Amino acid sequence: MAISDITEFAHLTDADVEALGEEFDQIRRDVEASRGAADEEYIRSIIRTQRRIEIAGRAALFGSVVPPLWMAGAALLGVAKILENMEIGHNVMHGQWDWMNDPEIHSATWEWDNVCPAEQWKHSHNYLHHTYTNVLGKDKDVGYEILRVTSDQKWNPVNLAQPVFNTLLMLLFQHGVAIHDLDIDGLLKRDISDPEEFKAKLEQVGRKMRRQMGKDYLLFPLLTGPFFLTTLTANMTANLIRNVWSYAIIFCGHFPDGAEVFTEEQLENETQGEWYLRQLLGSANFTGGRLMHVMSGSLGYQIEHHLFPDLPSNRYPEIAERVKEICAKYDLPYNIGPFPKQFWRSIRTIWRLALPNRKAAAEQAAHEAEGLRRDGASTSPAAEAGRVQEPVAA
Amino acid sequence: MTAIGDSPLARRVRAAATRFTTPLLPDDYLTLVNPLWSARELRGRIVSVTPEAEDAATLVVEPGWGWTFEHTAGQYVGIGVAIDGRYVWRSYSLTTPPSRDGRRLVITVRAMPDGFASHHLVHGVEPGTVVRLAPPQGEFVLPDPLPGKVLFLTAGSGITPVMAMLRSLDRRPAGTEDLVLVHSAPDAERALFAEELDLLARRHPGWRIVQRHTSTDGRLDLSPATPPREGTPRSDRATGSSPRTALGDLVPDWRERETWACGPAAMLDDAEKLWADAGLADALHLERFAASFSGSAEGGTITFARSGRTVETDGATTVLQAGEQAGVPMPFGCRMGICHTCVAPLRTGAVRDLRDGTEHRVAETDQSTRTVQTCVTAAAGDCTVDL
């Protein structure tokens, strides 16, 4: 059940929440004070590597009629797009690298290799999602206006088809992202709140789509001459690889079991400490090696990303250690699991919620309404996470 | 390679290539080969760092694509250098006229005692380092034709823009200028360009170059109280019992000369007063290394959204100054509109660029914001800045 008073839910006192906020503030100050040449070299080397991989992929496709080159080209280009969209684009647009004072790597100027215009992304994602994280009715990322991802969202017969919507969203993910900032809810209800703005945004999306699809599906295929068709299919495959991968990573951020949602009441007079607490309880991490984290835009550190969206992503591993300590100290859950497990939990929820709430789900909701358990047996974050990992009886 | 991007054909090629590299520019890939092959941001490579006088160095910079070499002697450039991962910007006068030294830019930097960036440029920067550049700016230039009688009044590193002017005049055939330079440096060790100035004086009979050392000669007296005396000896090293030398003693006819002055702020303030008192304000040109604000804005109430402060300002107060007065933590760098350290998102309302009067406006209903340089803009009506 959605949380309307996070302090009560976490069984913390106001003083605890304030102290917790102070500790998170201190992490921010420490990281900000220590940003330097090594961090600069990190982002520059990722950008250099990404551009080289992209060039290699495009070059391989000049022989796209040969199957190994087709496969190499599609794979390299897919990897390049993943890196660009996730570890570079997403993080640069969050302002993680603005401190370098380099207009070429700056949130104000970055445009990503994706059909979604950067400006609209910064509004729907940086502003709406990161400010109102997991607040029902405010954060459009809670189901992206087409999926029912929590039992708090009212069931509608159209939800029966959500396994299909979900699959389509996965395959066409970049296009879903592109229209995310549009008033889709208003469009469906035939009551767009600002038709002028809707039109302007739609035109902006159209322009970006033409440019993006023009290069991938027309110009580069033409450039490879007789291999037009094989280059075209390789480019489509590269975009598909990126779509499926980024979809999978992003669905692990807030939909796995244990990631809480909130009501608008929680936002009233919310303190900085409560804001941190909401980001912590509403997000989920996954484990993985360094390469896995770079390839997922450091979103395996979703909790750290939500606590500090504008600190450089290469610092999330060290931040995570301190966040875990704070969670242990205040007896708070730290939602983490292997990537396949977290992904399965998200998908299972989406499939299950295609149907109306059942008794078991209602029981789970009632259980959650009690808040985090405080019986000495589960004081460690792992044990708390264990609680939320209990599968709901299907 | 600098010509690339200049001709109409090259422009068309670039536009076509951008269709392939969108959302990036071809430049973003070409820099993988050569860091100078980009016109996205002006940049240059440090070719050499030559120690000059004590704590100063002359830097030769090879500019990348997009640099036009159209500066005028006396102008300055912005130079951005990465220190601890962060670009820090400063302005330095170009010390050579355009197109000299084979399409290189030359600046001379003095390491200031508490100057982090200048110290880095003099002592820390390696040849090969890629720096960012801002185009030449500044009104501190000579008119063409030159006025009949000229006075240059400089102190310390204030000699640098004048050096570019002298080098530019030196190249002109048969100079007949009546020109006086009075340059003050603390002592011989810290005197920039001493030998070259002596050489120029020997080469041009009409040039009179006075190099003073304030540790022995005292500071040049620019107070208006000292009346010009007649029959003052014209010594190149003014000495004597008086620790201070009046300008009138050194250059009795200073009132008849069109004057260019560059040096510490206190010296420029004195000069400004001296010339104003003599009713000659128009004959004095100063270089203060600051943005020249020709425009003014309407003024209004600025709301700093994140810090929740509100302040009423007039049209001459920059957003940066207004924020600082209100106690808002304001980022800033050069304070003259070149480095973009101070940029902040404008949420609603309008601000006006005080340099050229350009208005930046964000409508109430706009979802988007735009970033503005707070150090060179002032409120044009009520506005909200996200700081």
Side-chain angles (χ1 to χ4, degrees):
Chain A
M1 185 171 157
I3 297 166
S4 54
D5 185 336
I6 201 165
T7 305
E8 191 188 313
F9 175 84
H11 297 295
L12 294 174
T13 64
D14 288 348
D16 282 340
V17 174
E18 199 183 328
L20 175 106
E22 270 300 311
E23 296 204 36
F24 283 130
D25 282 345
Q26 189 57 45
I27 295 178
R28 166 179 290 280
R29 282 194 290 270
D30 291 346
V31 173
E32 281 178 345
S34 63
R35 288 178 302 205
D39 302 290
E40 181 204 15
E41 182 47 32
Y42 172 78
I43 189 64
R44 288 195 193 282
S45 77
I46 291 277
I47 290 173
R48 273 197 304 273
T49 306
Q50 185 273 330
R51 288 178 188 170
R52 285 180 184 144
I53 292 174
E54 185 184 352
I55 290 170
R58 302 275 187 201
L61 293 175
F62 277 89
S64 59
V65 76
V66 187
L69 284 177
W70 186 95
M71 280 191 275
L76 287 167
L77 201 52
V79 167
K81 282 176 183 283
I82 286 167
L83 273 176
E84 200 284 337
N85 287 183
M86 304 187 79
E87 183 67 352
I88 304 172
H90 166 262
N91 292 339
V92 170
M93 287 190 289
H94 263 296
Q96 294 186 3
W97 302 98
D98 287 4
W99 62 274
M100 297 198 306
N101 197 20
D102 182 347
E104 290 182 13
I105 307 177
H106 198 282
S107 63
T109 57
W110 196 270
E111 189 55 80
W112 56 347
D113 184 13
N114 181 308
V115 291
C116 173
E119 191 184 327
Q120 293 187 28
W121 171 258
K122 283 183 276 186
H123 177 251
S124 67
H125 180 79
N126 292 8
Y127 172 55
L128 291 180
H129 170 57
H130 275 271
T131 310
Y132 303 115
T133 312
N134 287 21
V135 175
L136 295 166
K138 296 287 271 186
D139 177 7
K140 294 208 287 185
D141 283 32
V142 183
Y144 307 104
E145 299 182 293
I146 55 163
L147 298 176
R148 181 168 177 256
V149 294
T150 159
S151 52
D152 291 293
Q153 289 166 316
K154 207 168 152 265
W155 184 82
N156 184 304
V158 81
N159 293 131
L160 286 168
Q162 80 173 11
V164 178
F165 296 155
N166 186 38
T167 309
L168 285 174
L169 180 61
M170 173 178 78
L171 298 176
L172 299 169
F173 195 58
Q174 68 161 339
H175 298 278
V177 170
I179 59 168
H180 186 42
D181 199 36
L182 298 174
D183 186 8
I184 299 298
D185 194 43
L187 181 73
L188 294 177
K189 290 175 184 155
R190 289 161 200 264
D191 180 27
I192 296 171
S193 60
D194 186 344
E196 289 265 312
E197 180 200 271
F198 188 93
K199 189 162 164 279
K201 282 185 175 179
L202 192 62
E203 282 169 2
Q204 194 183 27
V205 171
R207 278 195 298 277
K208 182 92 194 275
M209 279 188 178
R210 276 197 296 282
R211 280 202 304 273
Q212 286 292 119
M213 295 168 80
K215 77 166 174 176
D216 280 342
Y217 302 149
L218 183 68
L219 295 176
F220 273 107
L222 278 175
L223 204 61
T224 60
F227 311 141
F228 181 92
L229 272 181
T230 44
T231 306
L232 173 71
T233 53
N235 287 355
M236 293 176 95
T237 307
N239 275 313
L240 184 68
I241 292 170
R242 185 271 323 277
N243 283 353
V244 172
W245 179 250
S246 50
Y247 157 91
I249 296 297
I250 287 160
F251 270 50
C252 289
H254 302 287
F255 302 154
D257 305 358
E260 307 290 352
V261 292
F262 308 88
T263 65
E264 287 190 44
E265 288 164 290
Q266 168 55 33
L267 291 176
E268 286 165 20
N269 305 317
E270 188 178 60
T271 64
Q272 179 66 28
E274 289 174 324
W275 182 88
Y276 278 128
L277 203 50
R278 177 158 58 83
Q279 303 301 331
L280 172 71
L281 297 178
S283 309
N285 281 11
F286 56 79
T287 54
R290 195 65 204 125
L291 183 65
M292 173 70 179
H293 284 304
V294 170
M295 286 303 292
S296 52
S298 300
L299 292 182
Y301 296 101
Q302 188 77 234
I303 293 170
E304 288 71 23
H305 174 57
H306 263 271
L307 292 169
F308 311 106
D310 55 352
L311 291 183
S313 60
N314 62 321
R315 296 299 196 86
Y316 286 158
E318 66 182 70
I319 295 173
E321 294 310 311
R322 295 178 64 176
V323 172
K324 280 183 213 164
E325 281 169 26
I326 293 174
C327 287
K329 183 172 162 187
Y330 291 90
D331 208 3
L332 292 165
Y334 185 84
N335 191 339
I336 189 165
F339 168 69
K341 197 170 176 181
Q342 297 286 59
F343 183 62
W344 164 242
R345 284 191 193 140
S346 304
I347 295 303
R348 186 181 57 187
T349 301
I350 289 164
W351 288 347
R352 201 179 53 217
L353 291 175
L355 298 173
N357 291 355
R358 283 193 283 169
K359 193 163 170 283
E363 275 171 15
Q364 166 76 2
H367 173 69
E368 286 188 7
E370 290 169 20
L372 300 173
R373 272 202 309 227
R374 291 272 145 180
D375 49 23
S378 63
T379 47
S380 75
E384 286 290 2
R387 176 191 73 81
V388 297
Q389 282 165 19
E390 282 165 14
V392 178
Chain B
M1 298 305 290
T2 335
I4 288 189
D6 292 352
S7 75
L9 174 70
R11 249 198 301 271
R12 227 172 298 160
V13 171
R14 273 182 72 94
T18 306
R19 290 276 170 191
F20 286 88
T21 57
T22 182
L24 297 178
L25 297 177
D27 313 45
D28 296 315
Y29 296 93
L30 291 167
T31 49
L32 295 174
V33 184
N34 182 334
L36 294 187
W37 291 354
S38 173
R40 186 191 266 274
E41 292 289 323
L42 292 174
R43 62 191 76 208
R45 180 163 39 205
I46 307 271
V47 178
S48 64
V49 182
T50 314
E52 284 283 345
E54 190 182 284
D55 257 353
T58 290
L59 278 73
V60 178
V61 183
E62 176 192 3
W65 287 359
W67 191 266
T68 55
F69 291 94
E70 278 168 359
H71 71 269
T72 309
Q75 287 192 306
Y76 59 85
V77 292
I79 179 163
V81 58
I83 301 175
D84 287 337
R86 190 172 189 285
Y87 275 102
V88 178
W89 285 81
R90 292 293 180 271
S91 296
Y92 294 103
S93 296
L94 291 161
T95 48
T96 53
S99 301
R100 206 167 121 159
D101 289 316
R103 302 180 87 76
R104 298 284 200 272
L105 304 175
V106 183
I107 58 170
T108 298
V109 179
R110 146 90 20 99
M112 296 299 172
D114 51 355
F116 194 46
S118 61
H119 196 269
H120 180 77
L121 283 169
V122 172
H123 299 292
V125 76
E126 297 280 334
T129 303
V130 174
V131 295
R132 292 287 162 79
L133 298 171
Q137 299 184 48
E139 304 297 315
F140 190 71
V141 294
L142 293 176
D144 191 22
L146 218 53
K149 299 177 92 175
V150 175
L151 169 63
F152 295 117
L153 200 57
T154 61
S157 51
I159 183 69
T160 51
V162 170
M163 203 60 215
M165 294 176 179
L166 294 178
R167 285 170 172 168
S168 156
L169 294 173
D170 181 41
R171 289 194 312 186
R172 292 193 191 174
T176 53
E177 310 84 4
D178 177 357
L179 180 160
V180 179
L181 162 65
V182 178
H183 174 58
S184 301
D187 49 47
E189 285 69 42
R190 277 176 278 179
L192 289 169
F193 308 117
E195 285 174 30
E196 190 177 347
L197 289 172
D198 283 342
L199 201 71
L200 285 171
R202 280 202 293 276
R203 199 150 61 211
H204 299 273
W207 295 13
R208 186 173 150 244
I209 295 180
V210 184
Q211 297 199 60
R212 308 177 65 259
H213 296 149
T214 51
S215 58
T216 50
D217 305 341
R219 269 176 50 196
L220 186 67
D221 191 359
L222 293 173
S223 61
T226 320
R229 280 176 287 157
E230 278 178 30
T232 310
R234 288 194 162 199
S235 161
D236 277 9
R237 288 270 194 273
T239 49
S241 55
S242 165
R244 290 168 82 89
T245 311
L247 175 64
D249 296 340
L250 272 177
V251 191
D253 61 351
W254 64 270
R255 287 182 174 80
E256 296 158 32
R257 295 178 176 271
E258 190 91 6
T259 301
W260 280 262
C262 185
M267 177 196 119
L268 297 183
D269 291 344
D270 287 350
E272 212 162 22
K273 189 162 190 319
L274 178 62
W275 262 260
D277 287 355
L280 296 166
D282 288 349
L284 180 68
H285 309 274
L286 298 178
E287 178 59 290
R288 284 187 186 271
F289 288 109
S292 62
F293 291 159
S294 48
S296 71
E298 294 80 346
T301 302
I302 307 176
T303 306
F304 295 92
R306 272 196 248 172
S307 34
R309 311 256 165 101
T310 301
V311 58
E312 264 182 53
T313 62
D314 59 29
T317 306
T318 62
V319 177
L320 176 60
Q321 291 164 341
E324 287 174 337
Q325 284 159 18
V328 179
M330 304 287 290
F332 69 90
C334 66
R335 305 186 79 100
M336 55 197 289
I338 60 168
C339 78
H340 289 256
T341 306
C342 66
V343 292
L346 179 68
R347 288 261 174 262
T348 57
V351 296
R352 198 177 293 285
D353 193 319
L354 292 176
R355 294 168 300 178
D356 56 11
T358 314
E359 189 191 75
H360 304 283
R361 177 175 291 279
V362 175
E364 200 65 60
T365 52
D366 258 356
Q367 294 293 339
S368 63
T369 55
R370 52 190 309 167
T371 54
V372 294
Q373 293 172 276
T374 62
C375 75
V376 289
T377 52
D382 296 347
C383 60
T384 306
V385 179
D386 202 19
L387 275 174

Short mmCIF file of all heavy atoms in Angstrom, two decimals, chain A residues 92-125:
data_model
loop_
_atom_site.label_atom_id
_atom_site.label_comp_id
_atom_site.label_asym_id
_atom_site.label_seq_id
_atom_site.Cartn_x
_atom_site.Cartn_y
_atom_site.Cartn_z
N VAL A 92 25.24 12.80 -18.00
CA VAL A 92 25.62 14.18 -18.35
C VAL A 92 24.40 15.09 -18.21
O VAL A 92 24.48 16.19 -17.65
CB VAL A 92 26.21 14.27 -19.77
CG1 VAL A 92 26.36 15.73 -20.20
CG2 VAL A 92 27.58 13.58 -19.84
N MET A 93 23.25 14.62 -18.71
CA MET A 93 22.05 15.46 -18.65
C MET A 93 21.57 15.69 -17.22
O MET A 93 20.85 16.64 -16.94
CB MET A 93 20.94 14.86 -19.50
CG MET A 93 21.23 15.04 -20.99
SD MET A 93 19.84 14.60 -22.02
CE MET A 93 19.81 12.84 -21.82
N HIS A 94 21.98 14.81 -16.30
CA HIS A 94 21.69 15.03 -14.88
C HIS A 94 22.58 16.11 -14.28
O HIS A 94 22.41 16.49 -13.13
CB HIS A 94 21.89 13.74 -14.08
CG HIS A 94 20.62 12.98 -13.85
ND1 HIS A 94 19.59 13.49 -13.11
CD2 HIS A 94 20.22 11.76 -14.27
CE1 HIS A 94 18.60 12.59 -13.07
NE2 HIS A 94 18.96 11.54 -13.77
N GLY A 95 23.57 16.57 -15.05
CA GLY A 95 24.48 17.58 -14.51
C GLY A 95 25.62 16.98 -13.70
O GLY A 95 26.29 17.70 -12.97
N GLN A 96 25.84 15.65 -13.86
CA GLN A 96 26.89 15.01 -13.05
C GLN A 96 28.28 15.55 -13.39
O GLN A 96 29.20 15.45 -12.58
CB GLN A 96 26.87 13.50 -13.28
CG GLN A 96 25.62 12.84 -12.75
CD GLN A 96 25.68 11.32 -12.84
OE1 GLN A 96 26.68 10.74 -13.25
NE2 GLN A 96 24.58 10.68 -12.48
N TRP A 97 28.41 16.12 -14.60
CA TRP A 97 29.74 16.58 -15.03
C TRP A 97 29.78 18.08 -15.25
O TRP A 97 30.77 18.61 -15.74
CB TRP A 97 30.16 15.80 -16.30
CG TRP A 97 30.16 14.34 -16.03
CD1 TRP A 97 29.17 13.45 -16.33
CD2 TRP A 97 31.15 13.60 -15.31
NE1 TRP A 97 29.49 12.21 -15.86
CE2 TRP A 97 30.70 12.26 -15.23
CE3 TRP A 97 32.37 13.94 -14.73
CZ2 TRP A 97 31.43 11.27 -14.58
CZ3 TRP A 97 33.11 12.95 -14.09
CH2 TRP A 97 32.63 11.63 -14.02
N ASP A 98 28.72 18.80 -14.86
CA ASP A 98 28.68 20.25 -15.04
C ASP A 98 29.81 20.94 -14.28
O ASP A 98 30.29 22.00 -14.68
CB ASP A 98 27.34 20.83 -14.55
CG ASP A 98 26.19 20.50 -15.49
OD1 ASP A 98 26.44 19.77 -16.48
OD2 ASP A 98 25.07 20.96 -15.24
N TRP A 99 30.23 20.34 -13.17
CA TRP A 99 31.29 20.95 -12.35
C TRP A 99 32.58 21.14 -13.13
O TRP A 99 33.40 21.98 -12.77
CB TRP A 99 31.56 20.10 -11.10
CG TRP A 99 32.07 18.71 -11.43
CD1 TRP A 99 31.28 17.63 -11.70
CD2 TRP A 99 33.41 18.28 -11.57
NE1 TRP A 99 32.08 16.54 -12.01
CE2 TRP A 99 33.39 16.91 -11.92
CE3 TRP A 99 34.65 18.91 -11.42
CZ2 TRP A 99 34.55 16.17 -12.14
CZ3 TRP A 99 35.81 18.16 -11.63
CH2 TRP A 99 35.75 16.80 -11.98
N MET A 100 32.77 20.37 -14.23
CA MET A 100 34.01 20.51 -15.01
C MET A 100 34.04 21.83 -15.77
O MET A 100 35.07 22.22 -16.31
CB MET A 100 34.17 19.35 -16.00
CG MET A 100 34.30 18.00 -15.34
SD MET A 100 34.98 16.74 -16.45
CE MET A 100 33.88 16.84 -17.84
N ASN A 101 32.87 22.48 -15.86
CA ASN A 101 32.82 23.77 -16.52
C ASN A 101 33.21 23.66 -18.00
O ASN A 101 33.82 24.56 -18.56
CB ASN A 101 33.75 24.76 -15.79
CG ASN A 101 33.45 26.18 -16.12
OD1 ASN A 101 32.36 26.50 -16.59
ND2 ASN A 101 34.43 27.05 -15.93
N ASP A 102 32.88 22.49 -18.58
CA ASP A 102 33.19 22.25 -19.99
C ASP A 102 31.87 22.26 -20.77
O ASP A 102 31.06 21.35 -20.60
CB ASP A 102 33.89 20.90 -20.14
CG ASP A 102 34.27 20.62 -21.59
OD1 ASP A 102 33.79 21.34 -22.49
OD2 ASP A 102 35.05 19.68 -21.82
N PRO A 103 31.66 23.27 -21.60
CA PRO A 103 30.37 23.34 -22.31
C PRO A 103 30.11 22.14 -23.23
O PRO A 103 28.98 21.91 -23.63
CB PRO A 103 30.45 24.64 -23.11
CG PRO A 103 31.88 25.05 -23.08
CD PRO A 103 32.53 24.40 -21.91
N GLU A 104 31.15 21.37 -23.55
CA GLU A 104 30.94 20.22 -24.43
C GLU A 104 30.44 19.00 -23.67
O GLU A 104 29.97 18.04 -24.28
CB GLU A 104 32.24 19.88 -25.18
CG GLU A 104 32.58 20.93 -26.21
CD GLU A 104 33.83 20.61 -27.01
OE1 GLU A 104 34.31 19.46 -26.95
OE2 GLU A 104 34.32 21.51 -27.69
N ILE A 105 30.60 19.00 -22.36
CA ILE A 105 30.11 17.88 -21.54
C ILE A 105 29.26 18.50 -20.44
O ILE A 105 29.66 18.55 -19.28
CB ILE A 105 31.28 17.05 -20.96
CG1 ILE A 105 32.23 16.62 -22.07
CG2 ILE A 105 30.75 15.82 -20.23
CD1 ILE A 105 33.46 15.85 -21.60
N HIS A 106 28.10 19.01 -20.81
CA HIS A 106 27.32 19.82 -19.89
C HIS A 106 25.83 19.52 -20.06
O HIS A 106 25.37 19.33 -21.18
CB HIS A 106 27.60 21.30 -20.16
CG HIS A 106 27.21 22.20 -19.04
ND1 HIS A 106 25.91 22.55 -18.82
CD2 HIS A 106 27.93 22.80 -18.07
CE1 HIS A 106 25.85 23.34 -17.77
NE2 HIS A 106 27.07 23.51 -17.29
N SER A 107 25.12 19.53 -18.95
CA SER A 107 23.69 19.19 -19.01
C SER A 107 22.91 20.17 -19.89
O SER A 107 21.88 19.82 -20.46
CB SER A 107 23.10 19.17 -17.60
OG SER A 107 23.19 20.45 -17.01
N ALA A 108 23.40 21.40 -19.98
CA ALA A 108 22.66 22.40 -20.74
C ALA A 108 22.78 22.17 -22.25
O ALA A 108 21.93 22.63 -23.01
CB ALA A 108 23.15 23.80 -20.39
N THR A 109 23.82 21.48 -22.69
CA THR A 109 24.06 21.37 -24.13
C THR A 109 24.01 19.95 -24.67
O THR A 109 23.99 19.77 -25.88
CB THR A 109 25.45 21.94 -24.48
OG1 THR A 109 26.44 21.22 -23.73
CG2 THR A 109 25.55 23.41 -24.17
N TRP A 110 23.98 18.94 -23.81
CA TRP A 110 24.09 17.57 -24.32
C TRP A 110 22.83 17.14 -25.07
O TRP A 110 21.72 17.37 -24.63
CB TRP A 110 24.35 16.58 -23.18
CG TRP A 110 24.84 15.27 -23.72
CD1 TRP A 110 24.08 14.20 -24.09
CD2 TRP A 110 26.20 14.92 -24.01
NE1 TRP A 110 24.88 13.21 -24.59
CE2 TRP A 110 26.18 13.62 -24.55
CE3 TRP A 110 27.41 15.59 -23.87
CZ2 TRP A 110 27.35 12.96 -24.94
CZ3 TRP A 110 28.56 14.94 -24.25
CH2 TRP A 110 28.53 13.64 -24.78
N GLU A 111 23.04 16.54 -26.23
CA GLU A 111 21.91 15.92 -26.96
C GLU A 111 22.32 14.48 -27.18
O GLU A 111 23.45 14.19 -27.54
CB GLU A 111 21.69 16.66 -28.28
CG GLU A 111 20.43 16.27 -29.04
CD GLU A 111 19.13 16.38 -28.23
OE1 GLU A 111 18.58 17.51 -28.09
OE2 GLU A 111 18.65 15.34 -27.75
N TRP A 112 21.41 13.54 -26.87
CA TRP A 112 21.80 12.12 -26.90
C TRP A 112 21.36 11.40 -28.16
O TRP A 112 20.50 11.87 -28.89
CB TRP A 112 21.36 11.41 -25.65
CG TRP A 112 19.89 11.48 -25.30
CD1 TRP A 112 18.96 12.31 -25.84
CD2 TRP A 112 19.23 10.68 -24.32
NE1 TRP A 112 17.76 12.09 -25.24
CE2 TRP A 112 17.89 11.10 -24.32
CE3 TRP A 112 19.64 9.67 -23.44
CZ2 TRP A 112 16.95 10.52 -23.46
CZ3 TRP A 112 18.70 9.11 -22.61
CH2 TRP A 112 17.38 9.53 -22.62
N ASP A 113 21.96 10.23 -28.37
CA ASP A 113 21.73 9.42 -29.57
C ASP A 113 20.48 8.58 -29.36
O ASP A 113 20.53 7.36 -29.17
CB ASP A 113 22.96 8.53 -29.82
CG ASP A 113 22.82 7.74 -31.12
OD1 ASP A 113 21.92 8.04 -31.93
OD2 ASP A 113 23.62 6.80 -31.32
N ASN A 114 19.33 9.25 -29.42
CA ASN A 114 18.09 8.64 -29.01
C ASN A 114 16.99 9.55 -29.57
O ASN A 114 17.21 10.75 -29.67
CB ASN A 114 18.10 8.65 -27.46
CG ASN A 114 16.90 8.03 -26.84
OD1 ASN A 114 15.78 8.39 -27.15
ND2 ASN A 114 17.15 7.13 -25.92
N VAL A 115 15.83 8.98 -29.92
CA VAL A 115 14.81 9.84 -30.54
C VAL A 115 14.15 10.83 -29.58
O VAL A 115 13.41 11.71 -30.00
CB VAL A 115 13.70 9.00 -31.25
CG1 VAL A 115 14.27 8.31 -32.49
CG2 VAL A 115 13.07 8.02 -30.30
N CYS A 116 14.41 10.69 -28.28
CA CYS A 116 13.82 11.62 -27.32
C CYS A 116 14.64 12.91 -27.24
O CYS A 116 15.84 12.85 -26.99
CB CYS A 116 13.77 10.97 -25.94
SG CYS A 116 13.25 12.09 -24.62
N PRO A 117 14.00 14.08 -27.45
CA PRO A 117 14.76 15.33 -27.32
C PRO A 117 15.25 15.54 -25.88
O PRO A 117 14.49 15.36 -24.93
CB PRO A 117 13.74 16.41 -27.69
CG PRO A 117 12.62 15.69 -28.38
CD PRO A 117 12.59 14.32 -27.81
N ALA A 118 16.52 15.92 -25.76
CA ALA A 118 17.14 16.08 -24.44
C ALA A 118 16.32 17.00 -23.54
O ALA A 118 16.16 16.75 -22.35
CB ALA A 118 18.56 16.61 -24.59
N GLU A 119 15.80 18.08 -24.12
CA GLU A 119 15.09 19.06 -23.32
C GLU A 119 13.86 18.44 -22.63
O GLU A 119 13.59 18.68 -21.46
CB GLU A 119 14.66 20.20 -24.25
CG GLU A 119 14.14 21.41 -23.54
CD GLU A 119 13.66 22.46 -24.54
OE1 GLU A 119 14.25 22.56 -25.64
OE2 GLU A 119 12.69 23.15 -24.22
N GLN A 120 13.12 17.60 -23.40
CA GLN A 120 11.92 16.98 -22.83
C GLN A 120 12.31 15.92 -21.79
O GLN A 120 11.63 15.74 -20.78
CB GLN A 120 11.07 16.37 -23.94
CG GLN A 120 10.47 17.43 -24.85
CD GLN A 120 9.49 16.86 -25.86
OE1 GLN A 120 8.87 15.84 -25.63
NE2 GLN A 120 9.37 17.51 -26.99
N TRP A 121 13.40 15.22 -22.06
CA TRP A 121 13.87 14.22 -21.11
C TRP A 121 14.21 14.87 -19.78
O TRP A 121 13.86 14.38 -18.71
CB TRP A 121 15.09 13.50 -21.69
CG TRP A 121 15.77 12.62 -20.69
CD1 TRP A 121 16.91 12.88 -20.00
CD2 TRP A 121 15.32 11.33 -20.24
NE1 TRP A 121 17.21 11.84 -19.15
CE2 TRP A 121 16.25 10.87 -19.28
CE3 TRP A 121 14.23 10.51 -20.55
CZ2 TRP A 121 16.13 9.65 -18.64
CZ3 TRP A 121 14.11 9.29 -19.91
CH2 TRP A 121 15.05 8.87 -18.97
N LYS A 122 14.89 16.02 -19.85
CA LYS A 122 15.31 16.68 -18.62
C LYS A 122 14.09 17.10 -17.81
O LYS A 122 14.13 17.13 -16.59
CB LYS A 122 16.23 17.87 -18.93
CG LYS A 122 17.64 17.42 -19.29
CD LYS A 122 18.57 18.58 -19.52
CE LYS A 122 18.46 19.12 -20.92
NZ LYS A 122 19.46 20.15 -21.22
N HIS A 123 12.98 17.41 -18.49
CA HIS A 123 11.78 17.79 -17.76
C HIS A 123 11.10 16.57 -17.14
O HIS A 123 10.85 16.52 -15.95
CB HIS A 123 10.80 18.54 -18.67
CG HIS A 123 9.52 18.90 -17.99
ND1 HIS A 123 8.33 18.29 -18.27
CD2 HIS A 123 9.26 19.79 -17.00
CE1 HIS A 123 7.38 18.79 -17.49
NE2 HIS A 123 7.91 19.71 -16.73
N SER A 124 10.83 15.54 -17.98
CA SER A 124 10.07 14.40 -17.48
C SER A 124 10.88 13.56 -16.50
O SER A 124 10.35 13.02 -15.55
CB SER A 124 9.60 13.52 -18.64
OG SER A 124 10.70 12.92 -19.28
N HIS A 125 12.18 13.46 -16.76
CA HIS A 125 13.00 12.58 -15.93
C HIS A 125 13.65 13.32 -14.76
O HIS A 125 13.39 13.04 -13.61
CB HIS A 125 14.07 11.91 -16.79
CG HIS A 125 14.96 10.98 -16.02
ND1 HIS A 125 14.58 9.71 -15.66
CD2 HIS A 125 16.20 11.15 -15.50
CE1 HIS A 125 15.55 9.13 -14.97
NE2 HIS A 125 16.55 9.99 -14.86
#
